Amino acid sequence: MNRKTMVLTAAAGLLTPALTACGSASGGGAGSGAIVVGTTDRFEAADFAPAPFDPAHAYDAGAWNVLRQTVQTLMHTPRGGGQPVPEAASDCRFTDTGNESYRCTLRPGLQFAGGDPLTAKDVKFSIDRVLAIKDENGPSSLLSTLDTVEAKGADTVVFHLKTADATFPYKLSTPAAGIVSEKHYAARGLRSGFEIDGSGPYTMKPEVKNNQLVRAVFTRNPRYKGDLKLQNDKVELRTFADSAAMGRALTDGSVQMVSRTLSPAQITEFADKPPKGVKLVPLPGLEIRYLGFNTNAPVVKEKAVRQALAAAVDRNAVISKVYGKAVTPLYSLVPASVPGHVNSFFSKYGEANTAKAQGLLKDAGIKTPVKLTLNYTKDHYGDGTAAEFEALKTQLNATQLFDVTVQGSDWADFRPAQKRGDHAAYGLGWFPDYPDADNFLAPFLEQDNFLGTPYANAAVRTRLIPESRRAVDRGVALPAITEMQDIVAEDVPVLPLWQGKQYVAARDGITGAEWSVNAISDLQLWELGRGVSG
């Protein structure tokens, strides 16, 4: 992708860590034992998700963070951010002026961890199976612009696109394009369980109890050939039931670093009065949270109801009550730090404007109070979610325009119900696949979208998304990106609430924590080492 220097500089600025002096890069970790990293992410082999780590199914930040350590992609996001660069490939580029043909040449001597050679045929097989399986909860929509994949000899792959897509190199950097072997993965069926066979920087040994992963041990893959430089030989990812248990493990030294997910209270504590030997590391973040709507559900089918919710919600009050300094208000699906962001919702509705909400409902002839249930997941986004939805209920009911109840459920039940359309209104989060405005709009608005929403806007799907993707210079795409944000604010198929910041906490002697998570929440375990802390 040939972006202009100005745009590249802006993107790189998004991904540069705020703290760059956490420790020496020396010390690697050889002979030092596993570096233990804590997480509250849950990995479960459930009926609706029997294959949590199959690239054809996995489409959440936690599972992708496991796959990024073990399954190679042709491209990856470089250490400091910016445009993707070759990883399993030695070179990738568009070969036509219309940005509809993309060619990659593989690095010589690539092998899967088991010793089998990795060729262009494996790349074609891997991406074809994602499209063939088309798992309803999976990432196949990311490859919606792809027409066919051609393997030319052992080392060349050509991607023929249906339409111009300047963001395609980013998509090849995601686990949706992870390279696997037909020796271990069926062409049209998911691989159940937690085993992974790839060619990435690590192999992974899972420890499972009651169909849940409790720990994953990542060991340096001696056959790995790629662009990443490993600073350790072994990392253990250990799961915890909640942030409190994870924090205690960090404090007592049984865990050396924690990332997802520190609670707002822990962030404040670690910033103001950190436990001895622990440092809090602030990092740029692009996570967003929002309310989604089943626009066919009777209670929110009328646009005026959704608009009234957009006018009535008080983002700052929720943030102040629940999250403190860990998040900031968001008035568009596109985060404030991404080029192309505009405050479309604030421009249209302002902040907590009860009079405007009342007028919208009155003009549409809608009887008040509107009875509505807000659904959320109890176990997927951290400890603050329940309190957030209680705060939303309280403030919306205080307007006397709504009669809101809230209902929490486990992710294993919540997500299938949301996809079926059982919930009229629901809370979800989004961790971007790549740091471009396209990835905060298209996944919610195009056909076969992430939400499975019935909402469709012809101008967005047939004109604006294709128009925005034609522009290699992303500055040229800004008018289309702006128009899409304004349409979302008008129709309110989703209601953005806040944009998150990211924090990791690490013990003294662990280096590379400032690089261990990038702005799109990719966990980069290879950056961690042992050395003298600064």
Side-chain angles (χ1 to χ4, degrees):
M1 180 184 291
N2 296 313
R3 292 191 178 182
K4 290 192 179 293
T5 303
M6 180 177 69
V7 177
L8 174 60
T9 302
L14 287 173
L15 302 175
T16 301
L19 179 64
T20 59
C22 188
S24 164
S26 64
S32 303
I35 296 171
V36 184
V37 175
T39 181
T40 59
D41 283 330
R42 294 180 62 180
F43 308 103
E44 183 177 7
D47 289 341
F48 85 100
F53 297 142
D54 188 321
H57 166 80
Y59 199 20
D60 66 81
W64 271 23
N65 280 338
V66 173
L67 286 172
R68 289 186 189 279
Q69 321 308 313
T70 52
V71 176
Q72 223 171 351
T73 51
L74 292 171
M75 307 286 282
H76 81 107
T77 301
R79 193 185 203 220
Q83 293 177 314
V85 298
E87 212 292 80
S90 61
D91 179 76
C92 288
R93 64 187 63 199
F94 284 106
T95 59
D96 66 326
T97 56
N99 298 326
E100 295 183 8
S101 180
Y102 196 74
R103 178 187 297 259
C104 289
T105 303
L106 300 182
R107 293 177 184 270
L110 290 174
Q111 291 179 284
F112 290 104
D116 294 323
L118 188 161
T119 70
K121 180 182 176 183
D122 296 299
V123 178
K124 173 177 168 57
F125 166 79
S126 302
I127 293 178
D128 282 348
R129 76 181 287 270
V130 172
L131 294 172
I133 292 172
K134 200 177 182 180
D135 185 79
E136 66 175 354
N137 294 304
S140 62
S141 61
L142 272 177
L143 304 174
S144 62
T145 58
L146 179 60
D147 187 13
T148 59
V149 185
E150 181 184 4
K152 303 186 74 170
D155 66 352
T156 301
V157 187
V158 180
F159 300 92
H160 301 284
L161 306 183
K162 299 173 186 175
T163 184
D165 185 0
T167 68
F168 191 70
Y170 282 111
K171 295 169 182 177
L172 290 182
S173 72
T174 72
I179 306 167
V180 297
S181 169
E182 57 187 320
K183 182 176 179 179
H184 298 288
Y185 295 81
R188 293 185 174 272
L190 294 175
R191 181 178 182 177
S192 59
F194 296 91
E195 299 292 334
I196 304 172
D197 287 275
S199 59
Y202 297 98
T203 60
M204 189 273 282
K205 182 178 180 180
E207 181 181 326
V208 179
K209 292 181 181 178
N210 300 321
N211 293 324
Q212 291 189 358
L213 183 78
V214 294
R215 109 180 44 221
V217 178
F218 297 93
T219 303
R220 181 192 291 261
N221 173 14
R223 293 189 170 95
Y224 170 70
K225 293 184 178 180
D227 192 53
L228 305 175
K229 310 302 180 187
L230 277 67
Q231 302 299 317
N232 61 70
D233 292 329
K234 185 176 290 187
V235 181
E236 176 188 320
L237 186 67
R238 189 179 301 174
T239 65
F240 290 87
D242 53 46
S243 298
M246 184 175 69
R248 289 192 295 271
L250 178 69
T251 300
D252 69 26
S254 56
V255 162
Q256 283 81 56
M257 193 192 88
V258 299
S259 56
R260 290 167 49 93
T261 306
L262 290 167
S263 70
Q266 285 174 318
I267 292 168
T268 300
E269 176 190 349
F270 289 171
D272 296 342
K273 294 182 179 180
K276 184 178 179 180
V278 172
K279 278 184 180 173
L280 184 71
V281 184
L283 303 171
L286 297 177
E287 171 193 3
I288 68 169
R289 297 285 178 87
Y290 58 92
L291 293 178
F293 301 103
N294 173 4
T295 52
N296 280 348
V299 66
V300 294
K301 188 171 185 177
E302 290 291 335
K303 181 170 68 173
V305 173
R306 307 193 301 272
Q307 290 179 324
L309 286 165
V313 71
D314 189 339
R315 295 167 178 82
N316 284 298
V318 172
I319 289 169
S320 176
K321 185 177 182 62
V322 180
Y323 293 108
K325 297 179 180 179
V327 308
T328 56
L330 182 63
Y331 300 92
S332 169
L333 278 175
V334 179
S337 46
V338 172
H341 163 86
V342 290
N343 285 319
S344 298
F345 275 82
F346 189 84
S347 298
K348 186 169 181 63
Y349 304 105
E351 179 73 42
N353 192 332
T354 301
K356 188 175 186 69
Q358 183 176 28
L360 287 163
L361 294 171
K362 182 179 180 180
D363 291 347
I366 294 170
K367 184 179 178 181
T368 58
V370 177
K371 288 191 173 184
L372 178 65
T373 298
L374 301 180
N375 292 271
Y376 67 92
T377 172
K378 299 185 294 184
D379 60 347
H380 199 65
Y381 294 121
D383 297 345
T385 308
E388 175 184 354
F389 275 75
E390 286 294 332
L392 284 169
K393 178 184 77 172
T394 298
Q395 66 174 235
L396 290 172
N397 287 346
T399 68
Q400 300 184 2
L401 301 174
F402 299 95
D403 180 5
V404 172
T405 58
V406 296
Q407 179 66 51
S409 57
D410 290 342
W411 180 254
D413 299 317
F414 171 88
R415 179 62 169 151
Q418 181 269 314
K419 290 281 284 187
R420 288 194 305 267
D422 295 352
H423 301 327
Y426 49 86
L428 278 172
W430 182 251
F431 297 84
D433 308 312
Y434 49 90
D436 188 279
D438 172 83
N439 194 236
F440 292 92
L441 294 167
F444 303 95
L445 303 176
E446 65 184 349
Q447 192 171 4
D448 298 325
N449 59 73
F450 167 73
L451 298 177
T453 177
Y455 171 78
N457 183 287
V460 169
R461 290 187 179 179
T462 63
R463 177 173 63 85
L464 294 172
I465 291 177
E467 181 180 316
S468 70
R469 286 175 171 169
R470 279 194 290 270
V472 174
D473 177 351
R474 301 308 285 158
V476 175
L478 295 185
I481 288 168
T482 297
E483 187 174 348
M484 282 189 276
Q485 290 171 85
D486 290 342
I487 288 172
V488 171
E490 168 65 27
D491 292 349
V492 201
V494 291
L495 173 55
L497 296 173
W498 53 260
Q499 173 180 346
K501 303 174 185 178
Q502 290 191 124
Y503 296 87
V504 302
R507 294 197 63 83
D508 290 346
I510 296 299
T511 63
E514 70 272 23
W515 299 107
S516 62
V517 180
N518 66 17
I520 58 174
S521 300
D522 295 345
L523 186 61
Q524 302 175 143
L525 294 178
W526 54 86
E527 295 285 2
L528 297 176
R530 296 184 187 272
V532 179
S533 295

